[in-house]
Amino acid sequence: MNFKKLIFASLFIVLFGTSYSQQTEIVFLSGTDAANTVDWDFYCTDGMNSGEWTKIPVPSNWELQGFGTYNYGHDWSNKDIKLGKEHGLYKHSFEVPESWKGKTVNIVFDASMTDTQAKINGKLAGEVHQGAFYRFKYDISKLLKYGKENLLEVDVAKHSENESVNRAERQADFWIFGGIFRPVFLEALPKTHMNRTAIDAKADGSFNTFIVLNQSKGNYSVSVELFDLSGNKMGKTISAEIEKGTTETFVSGKFENIKSWNPEWPTLYDMKISLKQNELVLHTTSERIGFRTVELRKHDGFYINNEKVVFKGVNRHSFWPETGRCLSEENILEDIRLMKEMNMNAVRCSHYVPDKRFLELCDSMGLFVLDEVTGWQDGYDTIVGPKVIKETVLKDENHPSVVIWDHGNEGGWLFENEKWLQYWDIQKRPVICPWLLHNGVDTHHYPEYNQAIARNIFGNDPFMPTEFLHGLYDGGHGAGLEEFWRSYESSPLLAGGFLWVLADEAILRTDKQGTVYDSDGNHAPDGILGPHHEKEGSFYTIKEIWSPVQVEPLSINQEWNGTLFLKNKFIYTNLKECVFTWKAIKTEIGSTHKTTTGSGIVPSPDAQPGETTRIQIALNDALKDADIFEFKAVNHEGYELYTWSWPVIQPSEKAGEYVAKNPEQSEIKVTENASSVTASTSRIEISFNKNNGTILSVKNETGFVSFNGGPVPVGIETQVTGTFWEVNKDGEFYFETNYSGYPHKTIWTLHKNGLLNLEAGALTENLNDIDFLGLSFSYPEEKVKGIKWMGKGPYRVWKNRLKGSNINIWEKEYNNTITGESFNDLIYPEFKGYHGNLYWAKLETTESDFTIISETPNLFFRLFTPEKPQHVQGGVYPPFPAGNISFLYEIPAIGTKFKSADKLGPQSQKGIYHGRYGDKSYPIKLWFDFKKQE
């Protein structure tokens, strides 16, 4: 769309709205977002495609458009890496209507990286703006040619002349981009107009609006009207007078029957503010607001609308792989949708002020926001700092979602500047310095589990780590969260926490051949999501742990009476506003087919936040033939909070069903040579190593099945002490292997129906510091196509990340995803890794599918070994046993970028087992069906 059309469209909206001449008129010179851009003339002074005039879409980051130099923020300290200090020169011609003459016309930049100088028709619009993430504007009324073509020239320097700006923004742990990456527009205001309308709207309907005029040449009045989003006027008009010579005033009042704003019920209103002289309307503006009250009560916590809140949040960068920090409407919407889907109620804008549209959508969709002035680990000086703080507050002050100001990050502050946040903010929102105990809030980053207890549980101030459980690769995030959170919840001082970080930051490099996504080693693959918002396993763990409906622990069997206890962990919502449903399911081994044996809707209980209530499910005979019971909670907006599932039967019962369906009888034949013994039926032939009892080969009607090399005991030192085999009195082949330690004995039994059974001796040792313990086998990974199974899924688990993985029937195709690294082919769920609570698994292969059935409760199933990322740090690559298909009592926990797993709480410790003589424990019992699968 060309500029004349843009002007016409903008004017059409204004002309046919109300009182067009009194409203602020907006015309975009650029596009509105990454998906809607306008080409400007462009010249890059250095790096890619530099030295010639060409075109570039605006808004954008120029590196992602093939210009300049790529740098990650740590590059400044590496003398071997060129630090991009190029300038981007922009030109754009535009017209303004003759009717704008006499108005105030501002050119507004929503954000530009970083030092920006603008000229209109060859003349400077104002001083160079420094600071990359802030809205700034110039009054260009006297520089314009009305009714004619005008020339805009912009010089954007990627590297600032102010070293504090470089330290705060450029020497940081994130990608460093250049360019005009948010919209540029003109705003035309009446000759006498309101420069600022700051609104403090409280939860009880009272409000205080601060009005600032551009000039005062007479007596004026200001009126305030309130409308709901359907356009219905709320209450009466409230007015105040402004005497001649005065440019500032407050308008105060109260509206009755107001619904307050909160993330669970994000009710918004439009406040229309009109400036008048006598009865003549000079200027009108409308602000979309929410009524809510924010308090920080010392030695207690944050209260919003008089309710104590716990922030369940994540740190978020403005980022997309193909467009950098320039985002589309859909990018922003998806970020918020995914946070809400994880049952988060808050987001920290790390480490800079977000897009205007992001805050508008947080207002309307419901998220608390920590709005952050940049300063990664160094702060702005007293020249730039006060300016960008003012720009931050004035842009974002009326958003109800913004409840806290962050003054930098991890040292990115200058305390002399902090006062300006509350100076400009008429709401006097709390100010924190992330990583400090400051202003009565402890925001310490990346605490160890025990450290958190010492500093927080027994502390004296509200605590909320503004960064914790750093999610490098597949570590952190959900891993360790359950214990951290349950420990934190034991303290009345818990104010919340913010995980690091929402999504991996891997950019598409335009300076490399092919499709190359770059996360700068392990600096940026820290997300719960992949760079294109692919969901990692921790996504579902967080969703379950932070669900505002919690189901008290229980076991379910066929005699269960249908009683559930629900805990309401909402802040503002009664459980009667939610919908609860249930379903009982029958399954078939080897198939994804499921049959519903019963289902229903549960009457929603009347339970206020903080209450635990009992519900009764009318099951009738639904569990009589069921294997799985599901229970789902849905909020008042129709979004799933979580779906829990429990097994109804024991693995041994399910295995018994399968064995009973294989009645075929066949005489077993046995042959042997010096090293092996082979047992066969009419459909299967299996050879065993005579020295150690491991499988050497498997053959069925279609040929060989390459499953072999086990059982090998893993996790403990043990030696084979002897073997024995025979055809027993029932005509079944029996092979016994004895060991010096666990499992002491394994017994293979080939039955006449062609099923092969393995039973290992029960665990009796006293063991400490166990990473894993069980039995391993081998199968060629290159021959695997996929898997179907009953157990926890569909994502892999770690010992400290079992939540979010539910009992059900699952299937997935083989993939070789390296979480946080294989960005060109990120397929989730990952195929490889540990899986929980195995009932059965059918491995689909290029040779012949085969099925393994467990009789052992709570048995972990290891499916191959994930490839090790190139830049492992901390505890994010736990050990795996020998072989590649394993059946385990114990699996390892995973750590974070900065912490080994043992620092993340009791669940993350290595395994301990203490047996007692006479224990009737659970040996590993497995059935193998290698017959040709029907």
Side-chain angles (χ1 to χ4, degrees):
M1 181 180 288
N2 65 33
F3 184 72
K4 291 182 179 179
K5 290 181 179 177
L6 278 171
I7 287 183
F8 177 80
S10 302
L11 291 178
F12 181 89
I13 293 169
V14 176
L15 283 165
F16 290 90
T18 59
S19 305
Y20 77 91
S21 60
Q22 291 83 32
Q23 290 188 340
T24 302
E25 300 172 64
I26 302 293
V27 173
F28 284 90
L29 302 183
S30 71
T32 54
D33 64 12
N36 299 277
T37 61
V38 173
D39 283 348
W40 289 12
D41 295 324
F42 183 69
Y43 182 99
C44 188
T45 62
D46 194 23
M48 297 179 290
N49 295 311
S50 59
E52 61 178 345
W53 282 99
T54 181
K55 298 286 187 180
I56 195 171
V58 182
S60 69
N61 288 124
W62 63 56
E63 296 84 355
L64 281 301
Q65 302 302 320
F67 298 98
T69 305
Y70 280 95
N71 282 121
Y72 196 82
H74 295 319
D75 289 355
W76 70 275
S77 60
N78 189 334
K79 295 180 180 179
D80 296 327
I81 297 177
K82 177 183 177 181
L83 195 62
K85 297 185 179 182
E86 67 271 12
H87 286 232
L89 309 180
Y90 297 81
K91 291 182 182 180
H92 184 64
S93 296
F94 63 96
E95 295 178 12
V96 293
E98 187 75 29
S99 60
W100 280 12
K101 188 176 291 186
K103 292 179 179 286
T104 296
V105 182
N106 295 321
I107 185 167
V108 184
F109 292 80
D110 256 348
S112 178
M113 293 182 171
T114 180
D115 288 8
T116 303
Q117 180 186 83
K119 292 181 180 180
I120 301 293
N121 298 321
K123 295 182 180 180
L124 286 174
E127 66 177 9
V128 172
H129 182 269
Q130 295 178 315
F133 302 95
Y134 309 93
R135 172 180 283 186
F136 59 97
K137 63 177 68 177
Y138 302 108
D139 182 348
I140 59 172
S141 309
K142 296 180 181 179
L143 304 179
L144 292 170
K145 300 174 184 177
Y146 296 94
K148 298 180 181 179
E149 188 173 90
N150 295 268
L151 177 64
L152 168 65
E153 298 173 278
V154 186
D155 183 340
V156 179
K158 184 173 175 179
H159 194 80
S160 179
E161 290 294 321
N162 182 297
E163 282 305 315
S164 77
V165 173
N166 294 324
R167 291 192 299 270
E169 299 178 359
R170 314 273 101 186
Q171 298 173 11
D173 190 8
F174 47 79
W175 286 103
I176 305 304
F177 299 122
I180 301 171
F181 70 103
R182 290 180 186 159
V184 181
F185 57 91
L186 301 176
E187 60 176 12
L189 303 108
K191 186 174 183 180
T192 301
H193 61 266
M194 295 173 283
N195 270 335
R196 183 183 178 196
T197 52
I199 302 164
D200 183 11
K202 301 295 189 183
D204 64 356
S206 63
F207 73 94
N208 193 20
T209 300
F210 179 52
I211 309 294
V212 180
L213 307 185
N214 70 314
Q215 62 182 18
S216 179
K217 295 183 178 180
N219 294 319
Y220 306 103
S221 64
V222 178
S223 64
V224 173
E225 299 171 280
L226 191 70
F227 301 86
D228 65 21
L229 298 194
S230 297
N232 301 308
K233 187 173 180 179
M234 309 293 294
K236 297 180 180 179
T237 301
I238 299 172
S239 301
E241 301 298 320
I242 306 176
E243 294 181 359
K244 183 177 180 180
T246 302
T247 58
E248 298 178 357
T249 192
F250 284 92
V251 183
S252 302
K254 185 174 183 180
F255 293 101
E256 302 297 334
N257 302 315
I258 292 300
K259 295 180 180 179
S260 61
W261 182 96
N262 65 69
E264 296 165 20
W265 301 85
T267 304
L268 297 173
Y269 296 90
D270 288 323
M271 181 174 281
K272 181 181 177 182
I273 305 168
S274 299
L275 175 66
K276 300 178 183 178
Q277 189 170 34
N278 299 320
E279 293 303 312
L280 177 65
V281 177
L282 301 178
H283 185 207
T284 63
T285 186
S286 182
E287 296 282 349
R288 183 152 290 182
I289 63 166
F291 288 81
R292 57 101 183 95
T293 303
V294 181
E295 303 171 81
L296 171 57
R297 300 179 185 174
K298 285 189 174 182
H299 314 300
D300 185 356
F302 290 94
Y303 284 76
I304 298 176
N305 306 343
N306 209 35
E307 298 290 345
K308 191 171 185 176
V309 302
V310 174
F311 298 107
K312 301 174 182 177
V314 68
N315 288 268
R316 172 201 180 255
H317 275 295
S318 298
F319 180 82
W320 192 250
E322 287 75 29
T323 58
R325 309 247 178 263
C326 180
L327 302 182
S328 70
E329 173 92 355
E330 183 53 38
N331 295 154
I332 296 170
L333 268 170
E334 190 173 40
D335 277 357
I336 297 172
R337 286 191 199 111
L338 291 168
M339 285 185 268
K340 297 283 286 186
E341 189 178 337
M342 284 185 278
N343 291 312
M344 295 176 174
N345 64 9
V347 57
R348 177 184 173 213
C349 297
S350 53
H351 295 290
Y352 38 79
V353 177
D355 304 68
K356 177 178 181 288
R357 187 59 178 152
F358 178 75
L359 293 180
E360 289 175 345
L361 290 171
C362 288
D363 294 342
S364 63
M365 297 172 72
L367 278 178
F368 291 129
V369 175
L370 277 59
D371 198 346
E372 186 157 316
V373 176
T374 310
W376 179 61
Q377 290 190 349
D378 277 290
Y380 298 111
D381 62 22
T382 55
I383 298 170
V384 174
K387 295 177 183 177
V388 298
I389 286 173
K390 178 182 178 182
E391 289 164 350
T392 299
V393 175
L394 266 58
K395 180 176 80 74
D396 297 343
E397 61 189 347
N398 289 336
H399 291 283
S401 57
V402 176
V403 294
I404 294 173
W405 301 113
D406 291 358
H407 184 206
N409 167 72
E410 296 185 346
W413 45 74
L414 189 68
F415 291 121
E416 294 95 312
N417 289 335
E418 183 180 312
K419 62 187 176 185
W420 297 110
L421 282 161
Q422 290 214 335
Y423 174 87
W424 290 109
D425 182 21
I426 71 165
Q427 295 184 27
K428 309 304 179 192
R429 276 164 278 218
V431 176
I432 64 171
C433 290
W435 209 2
L436 288 187
L437 171 53
H438 184 70
N439 291 338
V441 185
D442 191 346
T443 61
H444 188 72
H445 285 186
Y446 304 112
E448 295 181 10
Y449 178 81
N450 288 332
Q451 175 187 354
I453 292 174
R455 181 164 180 166
N456 301 333
I457 306 304
F458 304 122
N460 192 44
D461 298 283
F463 67 91
M464 58 171 192
T466 36
E467 293 178 25
F468 77 121
L469 292 177
H470 192 294
L472 179 64
Y473 301 133
D474 199 28
H477 287 319
L481 178 61
E482 181 179 15
E483 288 199 301
F484 268 77
W485 204 250
R486 301 305 173 226
S487 172
Y488 287 173
E489 285 184 315
S490 70
S491 170
L493 293 172
L494 173 63
F498 293 82
L499 297 163
W500 184 269
V501 60
L502 180 63
D504 296 337
E505 282 199 73
I507 57 171
L508 178 62
R509 296 290 294 254
T510 57
D511 59 343
K512 296 182 181 295
Q513 292 293 322
T515 304
V516 178
Y517 288 96
D518 181 8
S519 61
D520 199 55
N522 68 11
H523 289 142
D526 308 327
I528 305 166
L529 308 170
H532 292 101
H533 289 168
E534 302 91 342
K535 296 176 182 177
E536 297 178 8
S538 284
F539 183 96
Y540 296 96
T541 308
I542 297 162
K543 182 180 178 73
E544 180 175 2
I545 294 170
W546 279 353
S547 170
V549 174
Q550 291 288 315
V551 179
E552 295 291 291
L554 80 158
S555 296
I556 293 179
N557 54 40
Q558 291 177 341
E559 286 73 45
W560 179 52
N561 65 3
T563 300
L564 286 176
F565 290 91
L566 304 183
K567 177 78 171 180
N568 183 352
K569 300 186 80 67
F570 283 105
I571 303 172
Y572 306 96
T573 302
N574 192 306
L575 291 190
K576 66 183 180 182
E577 305 289 347
C578 298
V579 175
F580 302 96
T581 60
W582 66 273
K583 183 189 297 183
I585 299 167
K586 178 69 175 177
T587 69
E588 300 174 15
I589 290 181
S591 170
T592 56
H593 177 73
K594 295 186 285 188
T595 303
T596 299
T597 61
S599 63
I601 298 174
V602 184
S604 300
D606 185 349
Q608 295 287 352
E611 293 182 349
T612 298
T613 188
R614 170 177 172 161
I615 63 171
Q616 192 68 41
I617 299 173
L619 293 166
N620 297 319
D621 293 328
L623 299 187
K624 181 179 178 181
D625 296 315
D627 298 337
I628 296 167
F629 178 80
E630 289 184 351
F631 180 75
K632 179 189 286 189
V634 175
N635 73 3
H636 68 277
E637 296 175 298
Y639 296 115
E640 179 202 63
L641 299 172
Y642 198 72
T643 298
W644 296 263
S645 64
W646 297 264
V648 175
I649 63 174
Q650 292 286 307
S652 58
E653 297 175 74
K654 195 65 184 173
E657 291 180 16
Y658 193 77
V659 173
K661 291 180 179 179
N662 284 269
E664 177 188 349
Q665 300 294 308
S666 174
E667 182 182 355
I668 295 177
K669 298 178 181 180
V670 178
T671 60
E672 60 180 294
N673 58 32
S675 60
S676 67
V677 57
T678 300
S680 61
T681 70
S682 61
R683 299 183 62 187
I684 195 78
E685 176 185 289
I686 303 175
S687 295
F688 299 89
N689 185 310
K690 292 168 67 172
N691 295 318
N692 60 20
T694 60
I695 290 179
L696 292 174
S697 67
V698 176
K699 187 179 181 181
N700 65 17
E701 300 100 315
T702 63
F704 284 99
V705 180
S706 305
F707 185 85
N708 54 46
V712 173
V714 292
I716 189 171
E717 291 293 329
T718 188
Q719 302 293 325
V720 173
T721 59
T723 61
F724 168 78
W725 62 91
E726 67 175 3
V727 175
N728 64 23
K729 59 183 176 60
D730 296 322
E732 300 165 333
F733 178 74
Y734 175 98
F735 193 116
E736 177 183 307
T737 305
N738 295 291
Y739 301 84
S740 59
Y742 175 80
H744 300 286
K745 180 189 291 187
T746 60
I747 298 170
W748 285 110
T749 305
L750 178 61
H751 294 263
K752 293 179 181 180
N753 60 4
L755 297 181
L756 181 64
N757 178 249
L758 173 67
E759 181 172 344
L763 187 59
T764 58
E765 281 84 351
N766 292 334
L767 303 174
N768 296 287
D769 296 328
I770 298 298
D771 283 316
F772 40 74
L773 182 67
L775 305 174
S776 272
F777 297 84
S778 295
Y779 187 83
E781 186 176 324
E782 66 273 12
K783 295 185 178 182
V784 176
K785 295 193 298 183
I787 189 170
K788 296 183 176 73
W789 81 103
M790 179 177 172
K792 285 200 167 185
Y795 282 79
R796 65 190 183 200
V797 299
W798 305 101
K799 183 180 179 181
N800 57 353
R801 196 185 74 189
L802 300 178
K803 292 286 188 180
S805 183
N806 286 345
I807 290 283
N808 217 309
I809 304 298
W810 308 103
E811 65 176 328
K812 54 186 174 182
E813 295 181 354
Y814 174 85
N815 64 69
N816 192 31
T817 293
I818 306 172
T819 305
E821 189 166 287
S822 53
F823 299 119
N824 284 12
D825 193 24
L826 278 181
I827 301 172
Y828 289 106
E830 306 100 330
F831 190 78
K832 304 177 189 178
Y834 299 108
H835 299 75
N837 292 60
L838 177 70
Y839 276 65
W840 57 263
K842 181 178 182 179
L843 200 65
E844 298 165 328
T845 78
T846 58
E847 298 178 324
S848 180
D849 300 348
F850 59 92
T851 303
I852 304 168
I853 305 101
S854 169
E855 290 193 38
T856 308
N858 303 313
L859 191 66
F860 292 102
F861 174 46
R862 175 275 196 100
L863 190 62
F864 301 101
T865 302
E867 288 190 26
K868 187 175 183 179
Q870 295 183 46
H871 304 284
V872 168
Q873 182 177 334
V876 297
Y877 192 72
F880 283 82
N884 55 27
I885 294 180
S886 308
F887 306 90
L888 305 163
Y889 289 114
E890 181 84 18
I891 61 172
I894 194 169
T896 72
K897 185 172 186 176
F898 302 128
K899 299 289 188 294
S900 55
D902 62 302
K903 306 298 184 184
L904 303 183
Q907 267 186 10
S908 302
Q909 309 303 302
K910 292 189 176 185
I912 297 174
Y913 180 83
H914 288 180
R916 177 71 176 171
Y917 178 76
D919 282 343
K920 298 296 183 183
S921 56
Y922 295 92
I924 294 178
K925 294 183 179 181
L926 301 170
W927 291 88
F928 297 83
D929 188 352
F930 293 113
K931 303 188 303 293
K932 179 182 177 182
Q933 305 286 295
E934 302 299 332

